[in-house]
Amino acid sequence: MTPSQVINGVSHQGEIAEAFRQVFQSHARPNNMTTNSHLQQQFCALYGSYIGDDLKADSAITVELVDHAVSELKRARAAGPDGITAEHLLYSHPLIRVLLSLLFRLMVMYAYVPDDFGVGMIIPLLKGDDCDSTMADNYRAITISPCISKVFEKCLILVFHPWLNSDDLQLGFKKGKGCRDAILTLRGIIKHINDSGSTAVLCALDLSKAFDKMNHYGLYIKLMERNIPRCFLDVLVCWYSKCFAFVRWNFFVSQQFQILAGVRQGGVLSPTLFAIFVDSVITKLR
């Protein structure tokens, strides 16, 4: 589909990129600043004395682990802001894996993430063919993250997976799970209720902009409740403190804006973190 030449009443491609930036920037802020401040205070009170489970994560990030993470990268995908694709890493000299393993070990050891790891490039994509293509609100933000940051995230998932699990009834944001599993479960429950002579009453909750509105401090607190190793939490806090994005529209890019809420769009670790964030809802429903 050819991109619309007019968005929100402006026709200059650079101004269109800025129009999208304003829309997406408004989504990347906490819903309630009072609640955000309360959670921030709660997190700071716990963070100073937090230790977590003991794990020498830096030594767990081996060359073999990095090689496995690289091999799992999806091919034929657009390059991120750094211009690097999965193919660059897949067909690179084996020494690159060694250097990446050393880099990742240092990042975990010193709880520091490079600034470029926090920058995402947003490509606006029309939500549907029947949507008005001239309104920015009718576009979803498809964010492309740096390829090397995805390798690092895959390594983190492999090393810290014992602390990153979620309820079996959480059927979203998991590999091999999806809507079909939720529908099958729902139909089975309704059939069981109806076969017993009762009437099933359904309640559906649509979490609008849920990925974009997740509170960072709330996520940190939930991870601490799992007693996740301090090194993982430190890396995450550093990473989310430097999350920025910019919009690309044709050959024009917008100014960068900071991501103050939500998981990192386009991040490999993001679905897992969001599943952890909403996991307590399923636990309470049980």
Side-chain angles (χ1 to χ4, degrees):
M1 179 182 293
T2 303
S4 176
Q5 299 303 311
V6 178
I7 300 290
N8 286 7
V10 297
S11 58
H12 186 275
Q13 302 297 293
E15 293 179 353
I16 290 177
E18 288 297 327
F20 277 118
R21 177 190 63 80
Q22 294 175 10
V23 172
F24 297 142
Q25 184 175 11
S26 67
H27 296 163
R29 295 172 178 171
N31 268 329
N32 188 304
M33 294 307 299
T34 301
T35 301
N36 182 71
S37 298
H38 173 72
L39 290 172
Q40 182 181 12
Q41 294 173 6
Q42 184 180 350
F43 164 69
C44 292
L46 298 170
Y47 187 56
S49 59
Y50 180 74
I51 299 176
D53 289 337
D54 184 37
L55 176 68
K56 299 296 184 182
D58 56 321
S59 59
I61 300 179
T62 62
V63 177
E64 292 75 17
L65 187 75
V66 172
D67 182 66
H68 176 72
V70 169
S71 67
E72 287 192 335
L73 289 173
K74 296 180 179 179
R75 309 185 186 193
R77 297 298 175 92
D82 55 3
I84 297 176
T85 65
E87 285 77 5
H88 284 112
L89 299 179
L90 287 165
Y91 303 119
S92 64
H93 192 280
L95 181 60
I96 296 298
R97 273 87 159 166
V98 178
L99 297 176
L100 287 178
S101 68
L102 293 174
L103 171 64
F104 296 162
R105 287 183 189 180
L106 291 172
M107 288 167 60
V108 173
M109 184 183 303
Y110 292 102
Y112 184 83
V113 178
D115 293 349
D116 286 351
F117 271 32
V119 179
M121 180 173 63
I122 297 177
I123 309 297
L125 185 65
L126 193 63
K127 295 178 180 179
D129 293 338
D130 57 342
C131 294
D132 183 358
S133 63
T134 65
M135 300 302 296
D137 286 332
N138 291 331
Y139 289 76
R140 64 169 57 92
I142 304 300
T143 306
I144 304 175
S145 299
C147 189
I148 295 178
S149 73
K150 294 180 180 180
V151 178
F152 181 54
E153 288 179 280
K154 286 180 177 290
C155 290
L156 292 179
I157 292 175
L158 293 171
V159 172
F160 294 96
H161 70 90
W163 294 272
L164 300 176
N165 61 313
S166 55
D167 197 287
D168 290 339
L169 290 181
Q170 170 59 270
L171 301 176
F173 316 109
K174 286 184 176 178
K175 186 176 182 179
K177 299 290 184 179
C179 290
R180 68 181 187 279
D181 303 282
I183 293 172
L184 179 62
T185 303
L186 178 62
R187 292 186 63 177
I189 294 172
I190 293 175
K191 184 177 185 304
H192 173 74
I193 294 174
N194 290 340
D195 289 347
S196 302
S198 300
T199 301
V201 180
L202 305 181
C203 176
L205 178 64
D206 182 11
L207 300 176
S208 178
K209 306 295 182 185
F211 243 51
D212 297 331
K213 292 298 184 180
M214 185 205 72
N215 189 280
H216 293 169
Y217 300 109
L219 173 64
Y220 303 153
I221 292 170
K222 289 180 181 293
L223 288 171
M224 286 192 286
E225 291 172 351
R226 292 167 172 253
N227 221 34
I228 199 162
R230 173 72 185 242
C231 56
F232 179 92
L233 186 62
D234 288 343
V235 166
L236 199 65
V237 170
C238 175
W239 205 337
Y240 273 67
S241 70
K242 54 179 63 175
C243 283
F244 291 83
F246 64 89
V247 178
R248 193 189 76 183
W249 182 256
N250 291 333
F251 299 104
F252 291 81
V253 297
S254 72
Q255 296 180 8
Q256 285 191 8
F257 62 92
Q258 188 170 11
I259 308 296
L260 300 175
V263 291
R264 292 178 56 253
Q265 295 283 352
V268 177
L269 190 59
S270 298
T272 300
L273 295 178
F274 186 79
I276 291 173
F277 186 75
V278 300
D279 196 53
S280 58
V281 176
I282 297 178
T283 302
K284 290 179 180 179
L285 287 174
R286 276 189 181 275

